[in-house]
Amino acid sequence: MPIKVVCGGGHLISALGIEAAVRQCAGLKPIATTHCSDTLANLALRCDVIVADFRSVSSRENSSGESLLTRIRAGYIDVGLVLHSCIKNPAYLATLSAMKAVHAVLDEGDVGRDLKAAIDAAHIRHKFVSSTLARYAANLPRRGQSYQPLTGCEIDVLKATLAGQSLKDIALARHRSKQTICTHKANAMLKLGVGTTAELFRLFSEEDVCILQDRTLPSAE
């Protein structure tokens, strides 16, 4: 039987582009295409694999008030998930790939070449990273980065920083010392290869970091 695929996206044009690519692959059957997060969550119960972008699976603008990604993480929905992204940062991708709910990650430029392999992997709940992203991570100069997944605490501090909170405010809200928060931020920025807070804001948004929050990630202090 063909793998039933739902194509989603923050914009309808993006979702339709994914649908067109799916139709070119043998053994796949696109059953619906949508840019509405509420519709996407409902369709998730009727398909084998969802192919979508970050925005559509992390949006909370729906009737439940919870993102589709949150519901998959919680075990309310069992579906293979393929995410496509333009972010090529190795540590970011390592963190995203480590999330239990995410099975495959595609660079936007790899959709035509690696989409079938990504969907096949997600269908059997295996991990997959597209060729451009894997090659990028392998060839990028190291500059001292560890390229290890971010911990839960590091993600939390990055999210608060990108939301405009000061280190002092972050520490007070979490009942931690300012030095502990500084350490989490410094470790996160080293993994990401980001040298300054200004560069962090230039490369990432609060939404980019929000999607990384996952209960299965380590939260080492």
Side-chain angles (χ1 to χ4, degrees):
M1 292 181 62
I3 298 173
K4 294 180 290 185
V5 180
V6 166
C7 306
H11 301 282
L12 183 58
I13 292 177
S14 173
L16 289 171
I18 294 296
E19 179 192 347
V22 170
R23 290 189 183 279
Q24 298 298 314
C25 301
L28 306 182
K29 180 182 179 181
I31 63 169
T33 300
T34 182
H35 68 295
C36 173
S37 60
D38 212 8
T39 302
L40 187 64
N42 292 330
L43 289 169
L45 299 172
R46 297 168 39 201
C47 69
D48 301 311
V49 175
I50 289 175
V51 182
D53 59 10
F54 292 0
R55 178 179 174 182
S56 55
V57 299
S58 60
S59 173
R60 292 178 173 80
E61 298 176 0
N62 55 60
S63 57
S64 71
E66 288 188 331
S67 71
L68 174 60
L69 190 62
T70 297
R71 295 170 70 181
I72 295 173
R73 288 171 180 165
Y76 300 141
I77 299 174
D78 180 20
V79 67
L81 182 59
V82 177
L83 293 182
H84 54 89
S85 168
C86 59
I87 297 176
K88 294 182 174 66
N89 186 281
Y92 183 92
L93 293 171
T95 308
L96 187 65
S97 298
M99 292 166 55
K100 184 178 179 181
V102 178
H103 304 104
V105 184
L106 279 173
D107 181 77
E108 291 183 340
D110 286 336
V111 169
R113 175 174 49 205
D114 292 338
L115 180 61
K116 177 66 162 58
I119 292 174
D120 286 343
H123 185 227
I124 58 176
R125 308 302 189 262
H126 283 185
K127 295 290 187 176
F128 178 89
V129 176
S130 70
S131 52
T132 294
L133 297 178
R135 186 166 59 250
Y136 183 86
N139 296 334
L140 198 67
R142 284 315 194 242
R143 293 191 301 170
Q145 297 107 297
S146 66
Y147 293 160
Q148 297 299 309
L150 298 164
T151 67
C153 288
E154 289 165 357
I155 292 170
D156 186 44
V157 171
L158 285 180
K159 177 187 172 185
T161 299
L162 290 165
Q165 297 181 37
S166 68
L167 292 174
K168 180 180 178 181
D169 290 340
I170 297 171
L172 287 173
R174 289 153 182 78
H175 306 289
R176 297 286 187 269
S177 70
K178 184 177 178 181
Q179 183 57 49
T180 296
I181 299 302
C182 285
T183 299
H184 287 321
K185 182 181 177 183
N187 288 341
M189 291 175 67
L190 179 63
K191 289 178 179 180
L192 294 171
V194 175
T196 65
T197 300
E199 186 179 5
L200 178 68
F201 275 90
R202 181 172 62 83
L203 295 176
F204 299 96
S205 69
E206 184 182 355
E207 288 184 354
D208 292 332
V209 175
C210 282
I211 197 173
L212 298 178
Q213 288 189 310
D214 187 273
R215 290 191 298 270
T216 64
L217 290 174
S219 56
E221 294 295 328

